[in-house]
């Protein structure tokens, strides 16, 4: 039992040491283990040897004094930090997220200089080395330096950290800067001059070292994201100055040195200076967008196109420069008040815009101080020289006169008067009623005179009608005689006309027939001539043919004749002359179809008295027929002789 107890005691000690090793190491060896994502803030409870208390006014120990220690423990293992002498607190890293910046307030350090509100930057590894911060003269209070997004091992016993947003200037905007630290502005200045080398106010110490001024700054910052310390600079965002098409921007600068006047000795209404000097700049800004600080500069828009201003209660242009103008009321020479609308067209050249602004300050003053009184007084004076009716009748001439007069006046103010137009003219209602009544009376008078003339014309017509009715019968009788005479004359003239017509028609027909006969004769002559030429040619050809044929035929006939003659001679000798003749007669009768029976037979029966005569007449008729037959045969036989003239 005793042996068991002697063995259990060491084993228990070892077990307890394994279980409570951290406590054992912490107590007996002063071991401290700082995790990798934390730092250790050290508080020293007492000092065994050396200076015990901190200097007056200090809360952070940097030389081994008791109290909050400036030196922190980075992640790792440390010995000698006895639990009875040191208190260790673990703290996470200080993390600055994206889009944020860290502002630091130091709880310990030297006192700020008189008049300062921010402590200058010192070398201290972005405030991660508290000992270096204090040794290098770091001061209490708000710091000019900031820490940007990231992770830092910062001793929160010395520094308080405040997160704030980065400064973001959107598009089409301008950041107007007012600094809370720097050199005071000189007397008469309203803004600090532009200082170089501070990276858009992000390097505060660079700005202060360059003797930057406190207060409103001439320099502005444009669109973008900036690490600006709000304890040092206040940013006001304003829209960029936009100059639209058809306008120029005349710059009035309230800062800068006094420049030389460029307006000349004749212009006595203000200084016009070069760009960058105090006063009205001689060179206006053209259309576009400009990053102008409105607290140190003013840009007056001046239209360079034709500008219309209406003196009319019911009408105003989009530029609103005539919104306070109203219809002009004038009084005529005869004491009648009446209203008239007027439109004035003006033009301001670009090079004259600075003079206009230097003289009047803005376009509204130009309208109220020059145009309104000039135009109103002109028409009031013009109306007093004429009555209402004459004013209405001479509108065109008065408009031309107004354009010339007002144009001459505007030339003195560097403004070109393009045209002056008179709109509606509204005379008094009572006068208009009088004029209307007068016009109606005049029209009625004309109507009455017209009606009177019509009645007189009607009376004359009635009289003439009555006379015409009374003489109706006389006229009828006279007309009857005239008609009869006219009918007779017409009959005579008709007969004469018919005769002339017949004669003319006969002459015409004769001429026509004559012309036709002449033409036909000419045609016949030409045809006959052509035919004769044709026949002559054919005859020549036929004659040649017949001549050749005739010669052959003659020889044939001669041979045949000789043969026939020989035959006839032999026949006569054989038959006798009388018998041969009778034979030929019979052959001819057969071949010629000669009638044997007479066509007329004379006999003794019947009428004895007329029988002989009838027979003679029949014989006579038969002889005539035979004679005609013989002639016909002769003609046929002789025809070839005609075609062949040489035969």
């Amino acid at each position: 039992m005793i042996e068991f107890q002697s063995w259990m005691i060491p084993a228990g000690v070892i077990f307890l040491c394994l279980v409570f090793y951290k406590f054992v190491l912490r107590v007996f060896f002063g071991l401290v283990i700082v995790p990798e994502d934390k730092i250790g803030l050290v508080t020293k409870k007492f000092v065994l040897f050396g200076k015990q208390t901190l200097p007056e006014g200090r809360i952070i120990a940097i030389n081994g004094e008791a109290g909050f220690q400036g030196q922190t423990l980075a992640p790792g293992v440390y010995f000698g930090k006895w639990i009875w002498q040191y208190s260790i607190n673990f703290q996470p890293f200080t993390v600055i997220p994206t889009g944020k910046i860290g502002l630091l307030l130091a709880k310990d350090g030297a006192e700020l200089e008189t008049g300062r509100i921010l402590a200058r930057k010192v070398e201290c590894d972005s405030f991660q080395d508290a000992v270096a911060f204090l040794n290098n003269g770091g001061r209490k209070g708000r710091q000019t330096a900031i820490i940007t997004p990231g992770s830092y091992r910062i001793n929160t016993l010395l520094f308080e950290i405040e997160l704030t947003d980065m400064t973001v200037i959107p598009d089409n905007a301008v950041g107007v800067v007012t600094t809370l630290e720097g050199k005071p502005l000189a007397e008469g200045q309203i803004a600090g001059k532009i200082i170089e080398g501070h990276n858009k106010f992000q390097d505060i110490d660079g700005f202060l070292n360059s003797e930057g001024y406190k207060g409103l700054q001439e320099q502005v910052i444009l669109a973008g994201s900036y690490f600006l310390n709000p304890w040092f600079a206040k940013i006001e965002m304003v829209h960029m100055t936009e100059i639209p098409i058809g306008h120029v921007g005349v710059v009035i600068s309230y800062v800068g040195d006094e420049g030389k006047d460029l307006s000349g000795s004749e212009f006595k209404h203000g200084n016009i200076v070069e760009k960058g000097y105090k006063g009205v700049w001689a060179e206006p800004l053209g259309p576009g967008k400009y990053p102008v600080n409105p607290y140190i500069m003013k840009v007056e828009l001046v239209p360079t196109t034709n500008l219309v201003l209406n003196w009319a209660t019911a009408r105003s242009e989009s530029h609103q420069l005539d919104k306070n103008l109203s219809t002009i009321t004038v009084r005529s020479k005869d004491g009648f008040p009446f209203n008239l609308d007027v439109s004035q067209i003006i033009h301001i050249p670009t090079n004259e815009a600075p003079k206009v602004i230097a003289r009047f300050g803005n376009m509204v003053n130009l309208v109220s101080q020059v145009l309104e009184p000039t135009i109103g007084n002109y028409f009031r004076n013009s109306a007093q020289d004429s009555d209402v009716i004459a004013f209405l009748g001479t509108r065109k001439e008065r408009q031309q006169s107004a354009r010339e007069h007002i144009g001459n006046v505007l030339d003195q103010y560097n403004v070109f008067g393009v045209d002056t137009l008179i709109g509606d003219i509204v005379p008094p209602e009572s006068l208009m009623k009088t004029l209307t009544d007068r016009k109606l009376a005049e029209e009625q008078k004309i109507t009455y005179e017209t009606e009177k003339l019509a009645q007189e014309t009607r009376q004359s017509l009635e009289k003439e009608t009555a006379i015409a009715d009374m003489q109706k019968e006389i006229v009828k009788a006279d007309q009857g005689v005239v008609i009869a005479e006219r009918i007779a004359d017409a009959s005579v003239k008709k007969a004469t006309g018919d005769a002339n017509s017949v004669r003319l028609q006969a002459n015409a027909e004769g001429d026509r027939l004559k012309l036709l006969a002449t033409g036909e004769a000419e045609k016949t002559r030409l045809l006959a001539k052509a035919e004769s030429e044709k026949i002559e040619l054919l005859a020549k050809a036929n004659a040649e043919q017949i001549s050749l044929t005739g010669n052959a035929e003659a020889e044939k006939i001669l041979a045949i004749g000789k043969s026939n003659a020989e035959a006839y001679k032999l026949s006569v000798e054989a038959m006798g002359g009388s018998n041969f003749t009778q034979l030929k007669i019979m052959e001819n009768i057969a071949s010629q179809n000669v009638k044997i029976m007479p066509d007329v037979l004379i006999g003794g029966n019947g009428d004895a008295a007329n029988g002989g005569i009838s027979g003679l007449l029949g014989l006579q008729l038969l002889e005539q027929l035979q004679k005609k037959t013989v002639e016909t045969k002769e003609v046929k036989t002789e025809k070839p002789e005609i075609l062949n003239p040489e035969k």
Side-chain angles (χ1 to χ4, degrees), residues 164-402:
T164 187
D165 293 328
M166 294 176 60
T167 300
V168 178
I169 307 298
D171 293 337
N172 297 321
V174 177
V176 178
V177 181
T178 301
T179 59
L180 306 177
E181 184 71 280
K183 187 171 64 173
L185 292 173
E187 185 177 356
Q189 291 184 348
I190 63 172
K193 294 182 178 180
I194 296 177
I195 301 297
E196 301 295 337
H198 52 81
N199 191 22
K200 307 290 185 182
F201 301 98
Q202 297 177 99
D203 184 0
I204 301 175
D205 292 277
F207 176 84
L208 297 176
N209 292 333
S210 300
E211 297 186 346
Y213 291 90
K214 179 171 62 176
L216 178 66
Q217 302 296 309
E218 293 184 16
Q219 185 177 359
V220 296
I221 54 178
L222 304 180
S225 298
Y226 300 90
F227 298 123
L228 294 177
N229 189 336
W231 294 340
F232 167 72
K234 300 296 183 183
I235 307 298
E236 179 183 354
M237 296 182 200
V238 297
H239 292 291
M240 296 185 74
T241 300
E242 182 177 358
I243 300 175
I245 299 296
H247 294 71
V248 295
V250 178
V251 179
I252 304 173
S253 178
Y254 304 129
V255 297
D257 298 332
E258 296 293 336
K260 180 181 178 181
D261 184 14
L262 304 178
S263 60
S265 58
E266 297 181 357
F267 189 81
K268 305 182 184 302
H269 302 278
N271 292 338
I272 298 178
V273 297
E274 292 183 358
K275 182 178 180 180
Y277 291 92
K278 183 188 294 185
V280 179
W281 289 1
E283 182 181 352
L285 303 177
K289 293 183 178 181
Y290 298 88
V292 175
N293 187 338
Y295 296 104
I296 65 171
M297 290 182 184
K298 184 178 181 182
V299 179
E300 288 292 339
L301 294 181
V302 178
T304 55
T305 57
N306 287 350
L307 185 66
V308 181
L309 301 169
N310 297 307
W311 276 257
T313 304
R315 186 169 72 253
S316 179
E317 298 294 333
S318 60
H319 50 67
Q320 294 295 301
L321 291 175
D322 55 357
K323 65 180 180 180
N324 296 324
L325 303 178
S326 59
T327 299
I328 301 174
T329 300
V330 300
R331 187 176 297 276
S332 64
K333 183 178 181 180
D334 47 2
F336 287 101
F338 62 95
N339 298 328
L340 71 155
D341 293 342
V342 177
S343 295
Q344 178 65 45
I345 304 175
I346 63 173
H347 172 65
I348 301 176
T350 300
N351 57 342
E352 298 293 339
K355 292 184 179 180
V356 173
I357 297 303
R359 186 190 297 265
F360 298 106
N362 52 53
M363 290 296 296
V364 175
N365 292 340
L366 169 65
V367 175
S368 62
Q369 296 175 15
V370 175
L371 291 170
E372 185 176 6
T374 299
I375 292 177
N377 289 335
Y378 172 81
F379 283 104
R380 292 185 184 94
N381 295 336
S382 177
Q384 289 180 353
D385 296 335
S386 172
D387 55 30
V388 178
I389 306 304
F391 194 93
L392 290 172
T394 58
R395 170 177 172 167
K396 180 178 180 181
E397 292 76 7
R398 293 183 181 277
Q399 182 172 280
Q400 177 67 20
S401 176

Side-chain angles (χ1 to χ4, degrees), residues 447-502:
T447 301
Y448 294 153
E449 291 178 354
T450 303
E451 290 179 352
K452 178 181 178 182
L453 180 61
Q455 293 296 332
E456 292 176 353
T457 304
R458 188 180 65 81
Q459 291 175 2
S460 177
L461 177 62
E462 293 291 342
K463 180 179 179 181
E464 295 298 329
T465 302
I467 294 173
D469 291 339
M470 292 173 61
Q471 293 184 351
K472 183 176 181 181
E473 297 299 328
I474 297 173
V475 172
K476 184 176 180 181
D478 291 341
Q479 292 299 319
V481 174
V482 173
I483 290 171
E485 291 177 353
R486 296 290 175 84
I487 290 173
D489 292 341
S491 298
V492 174
K493 290 182 178 179
K494 184 176 183 301
T496 303
D498 291 342
N500 290 334
S501 176
V502 171

